């Protein structure tokens, strides 16, 4: 497995690859969700993984400082999962001063849920993905559906600037309890992890025709010490709030909230037509 620290050397590596090689952008602290993406990509051809805790997408300095950093074990996991190359840029190299701003109209995606609660977050995600795609130049890119809104933002970016890239959004990988795998889970106590499993239980109440009363759902979360930031069903792909089940529309219920001071997100696509 090759390890690169500078964009020039990544560019050289990528020029020698089949143009359809795969790319998995990450912020490290890798778990089985990330590794599933790497394995999915590696089953098709060579795969590069990037590890960069991107300061531009953190609206909260404490969250950035506390973000888990586990580089050595990440590299071990990537070798086992079959990654061919890892890109570990530093901030100076990945964000040169002459970097132009990326112009992308996100519509509702840029105003609602994650965008509303984490001002500047998606601007930061767009900034890093645009730069990484320019440097890495992959043929395929892999994201996890746990970050559903991010997947949709990436789709817009790719459609406008990198139409040659094929995007794959993989199903959320869950612990046995139903808790969605996340790098942030390592900041929860054992008890917190058990309580956090209630998020998935509440999301599942929205499957089928009868949605729970909002207050009922919030109370169930509250009983598990989870402070909800949003719990909302959205119509996809227009990302409009949905007030009732609609068989004809693709709908997803999205959650964000805090437990033990850790921000957790999750979602469930309710009537997947995939
Ligand atoms: O999902 C993440 O880990 C990050 O938002 C990403 C896509 C790697 C961009 O920094």
């Amino acid at each position: 497995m090759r390890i690169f620290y500078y964009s020039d050397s990544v560019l050289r590596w990528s020029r020698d690859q089949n143009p359809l090689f795969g790319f998995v952008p990450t912020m490290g602290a890798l778990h089985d969700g990330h590794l599933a993406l790497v394995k999915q990509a590696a089953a098709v051809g060579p795969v590069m993984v990037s590890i960069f805790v991107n300061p531009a997408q953190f609206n909260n300095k404490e969250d950035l400082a506390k973000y888990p950093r586990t580089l050595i074990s990440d590299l071990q996991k990537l070798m086992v999962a079959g990654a061919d190359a890892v890109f570990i840029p530093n901030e100076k190299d990945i964000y040169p001063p002459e970097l132009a701003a990326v112009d992308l109209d996100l519509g509702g995606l840029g105003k609602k849920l994650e965008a509303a609660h984490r001002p500047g977050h998606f601007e930061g995600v767009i900034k890093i993905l645009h730069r990484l795609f320019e440097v890495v130049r992959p043929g395929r890119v892999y994201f996890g559906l746990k970050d559903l809104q991010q997947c949709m933002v990436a789709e817009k970016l790719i459609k406008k600037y990198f139409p040659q890239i094929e995007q794959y959004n993989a199903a959320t990988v869950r612990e046995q309890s139903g808790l969605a795998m996340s790098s942030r889970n390592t900041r929860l106590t054992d008890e917190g992890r058990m309580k956090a499993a209630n998020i998935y239980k509440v999301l599942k109440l929205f499957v089928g025709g009868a949605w729970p009363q909002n207050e009922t759902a919030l109370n169930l979360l509250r009983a598990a010490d989870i402070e909800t930031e949003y719990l909302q069903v959205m119509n996809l792909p227009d990302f409009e709030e949905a007030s009732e089940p609609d068989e004809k529309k693709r709908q997803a219920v999205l959650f964000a909230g805090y437990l033990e001071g850790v921000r957790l997100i999750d979602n469930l696509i309710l009537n997947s037509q995939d």
Side-chain angles (χ1 to χ4, degrees), residues 65-121:
K66 287 191 174 163
Y67 200 84
R69 286 148 171 98
T70 55
L71 187 57
I72 303 294
S73 83
D74 288 349
L75 294 176
Q76 285 164 346
K77 288 176 186 173
L78 289 176
M79 285 224 298
V80 177
D84 295 273
V86 186
F87 180 29
I88 312 170
N90 64 59
E91 199 175 343
K92 251 190 178 166
D93 177 74
I94 204 71
Y95 289 144
E98 68 277 9
L99 201 63
V102 183
D103 173 31
L104 186 66
D105 179 10
L106 291 179
L109 272 180
K111 294 185 187 71
K112 297 175 187 172
L113 305 193
E114 283 303 278
H117 291 274
R118 301 186 69 189
H121 170 65

Side-chain angles (χ1 to χ4, degrees), residues 2 60 68 109 168 199 225 231 252-253:
R2 304 277 309 271
N60 178 328
L109 272 180
Y168 295 84
I199 297 169
D225 294 327
L231 178 69
V253 55

